[in-house]
Amino acid sequence: MITHGDDLLISGAWLLGIGTLVGAIGQTRQTLTSTDLGKDLVLKGNGIEAVGNSLQAIGRSKMLNPENERTETYFIFGSWLEAIGNIADAVGIGMQLSGSVEEGIRTDAIGSGIQGLGAAIEAIGASLTEETISRSFEIKGNGLISAGSFLESVGNIFILNEKVRMGEHILLLGSWTQVFGAFILIEAFSLGTEPPERGKDGHNRHYSYANYC
């Protein structure tokens, strides 16, 4: 049986996938044209990601129980950090579009760093739980999102240091790295349940995602 918390996790994962894809398309347009064309998509993508991360944090909170409280705290804290980072990214890009370019890039760099830290904490949380296919996917997915976010932070730092073209290409690499990570997470949450195990009585035992978080 899928719980309400499971629904939020899956919905959040899909929003992450959509958000990272929208942002990557925007970043691609921006990098290829060397203009602000596409920044509006990057802003929207970060907003969608923030909603997705928030849904996942809420979903995890609903699935808390004494047996998984310690490890789930990593996921909840990490998801909220990612949401905060994405909001900061969106604010920073909005500032750039409104003319406060340098301050906006700095805010964007900080936001991406926060997002990367949040994803890394989630990957650590997944590594502390019982090994399953789903958890393995979560480690890989969050690891890629973390790496991509840190790359975006580095890219913005390059731009602040007037190495614009190099910075733009690093941003592009970071954005698409996050896309791959987000879609791996979709696969992780879409697995939903472990294959049924047979008990000593020969009957199938079904486990929902919540049972092995």
Side-chain angles (χ1 to χ4, degrees):
M1 179 183 294
I2 296 179
T3 68
H4 187 54
D6 288 316
D7 290 336
L8 290 174
L9 287 178
I10 295 170
S11 298
W14 275 104
L15 284 176
L16 280 177
I18 293 168
T20 55
L21 183 59
V22 169
I25 291 171
Q27 185 59 55
T28 301
R29 294 176 66 183
Q30 182 181 329
T31 302
L32 292 178
T33 61
S34 298
T35 66
D36 284 344
L37 184 65
K39 268 192 188 295
D40 57 330
L41 287 178
V42 178
L43 189 155
K44 291 173 183 175
N46 277 291
I48 295 170
E49 286 181 63
V51 174
N53 282 311
S54 298
L55 287 180
Q56 290 201 313
I58 295 168
R60 296 283 192 184
S61 298
K62 288 181 176 292
M63 295 163 64
L64 272 178
N65 61 59
E67 293 181 356
N68 66 15
E69 185 173 0
R70 179 174 173 274
T71 53
E72 285 300 295
T73 300
Y74 282 91
F75 292 109
I76 295 168
F77 182 58
S79 292
W80 282 124
L81 273 183
E82 285 193 76
I84 291 169
N86 276 306
I87 291 170
D89 285 342
V91 170
I93 294 165
M95 292 169 67
Q96 293 174 54
L97 290 172
S98 65
S100 301
V101 179
E102 186 172 338
E103 191 61 32
I105 293 172
R106 188 173 291 109
T107 302
D108 194 3
I110 293 170
S112 293
I114 293 171
Q115 184 186 359
L117 178 61
I121 289 172
E122 287 199 69
I124 292 170
S127 69
L128 296 176
T129 59
E130 182 182 353
E131 186 176 349
T132 63
I133 295 175
S134 177
R135 284 309 196 201
S136 176
F137 276 39
E138 281 192 76
I139 294 169
K140 291 181 176 69
N142 280 308
L144 284 172
I145 290 175
S146 178
S149 298
F150 284 130
L151 280 171
E152 287 189 337
S153 185
V154 170
N156 280 309
I157 291 170
F158 268 78
I159 293 172
L160 284 172
N161 286 282
E162 299 182 356
K163 297 178 180 179
V164 179
R165 290 305 296 166
M166 176 65 74
E168 289 286 349
H169 282 92
I170 294 173
L171 285 172
L172 183 62
L173 176 60
S175 64
W176 282 104
T177 300
Q178 289 185 70
V179 172
F180 290 125
F183 278 89
I184 289 174
L185 283 183
I186 290 173
E187 181 64 24
F189 294 121
S190 295
L191 289 174
T193 58
E194 287 280 85
E197 293 183 3
R198 289 193 174 274
K200 293 180 180 179
D201 56 2
H203 293 294
N204 286 338
R205 295 176 180 174
H206 298 274
Y207 294 86
S208 72
Y209 185 87
N211 290 123
Y212 58 93
C213 282

